[in-house]
Amino acid sequence: MKPVKLFYLKSCPYCVKALSYMDELKKREAYGSLEIEMIEESEEPDVADRYDYYYVPTCYVDGVKVHEGAATFEEMEAVFKKAVEQGPSPLKQLENH
């Protein structure tokens, strides 16, 4: 599985909805062991400032932005699918060179 980073704000209604979708998806066997690093941007501005995004929620999979802004259930599921896809991780390839 590839690492997932989620940038969000506690006060954002779109983030609250996305988090509920993620909770529902994590109940599925395919995604149960998926680890998600959650970064509340107002509490960790130094981390958030290192990433290129404007809207929350924003998801990165293996260092690549795959979603930004209000999300549907299907869009959050697409993020999870990217995280569990097989294949070499671009970050791992860079580390090996």
Side-chain angles (χ1 to χ4, degrees), residues 47-68:
V47 175
D49 287 346
R50 288 184 271 163
Y51 288 82
D52 181 29
Y53 70 96
Y54 188 76
Y55 299 106
V56 290
T58 294
C59 296
Y60 284 79
V61 173
D62 208 22
V64 177
K65 183 169 40 174
V66 295
H67 181 83
E68 182 173 5

Side-chain angles (χ1 to χ4, degrees), residues 75-90:
E75 289 169 326
M76 292 312 299
E77 185 174 27
V79 170
F80 277 43
K81 285 181 179 178
K82 286 184 186 307
V84 299
E85 280 178 351
Q86 295 301 319
S89 161

Side-chain angles (χ1 to χ4, degrees), residues 6-78:
L6 169 71
F7 292 90
Y8 73 104
L9 286 168
K10 289 178 185 174
S11 61
C12 166
Y14 301 111
C15 297
V16 171
K17 194 69 167 166
L19 290 169
S20 72
Y21 296 150
M22 294 171 77
D23 286 342
E24 189 63 34
L25 287 162
K26 289 277 285 176
K27 293 176 184 174
R28 296 183 181 179
E29 186 176 336
Y31 308 126
S33 62
L34 187 62
E35 290 187 31
I36 300 166
E37 181 182 0
M38 297 179 53
I39 300 151
E40 210 291 354
E41 70 172 31
S42 68
E43 294 174 4
E44 298 185 65
D46 54 324
V47 175
D49 287 346
R50 288 184 271 163
Y51 288 82
D52 181 29
Y53 70 96
Y54 188 76
Y55 299 106
V56 290
T58 294
C59 296
Y60 284 79
V61 173
D62 208 22
V64 177
K65 183 169 40 174
V66 295
H67 181 83
E68 182 173 5
T72 65
F73 181 87
E74 292 76 16
E75 289 169 326
M76 292 312 299
E77 185 174 27

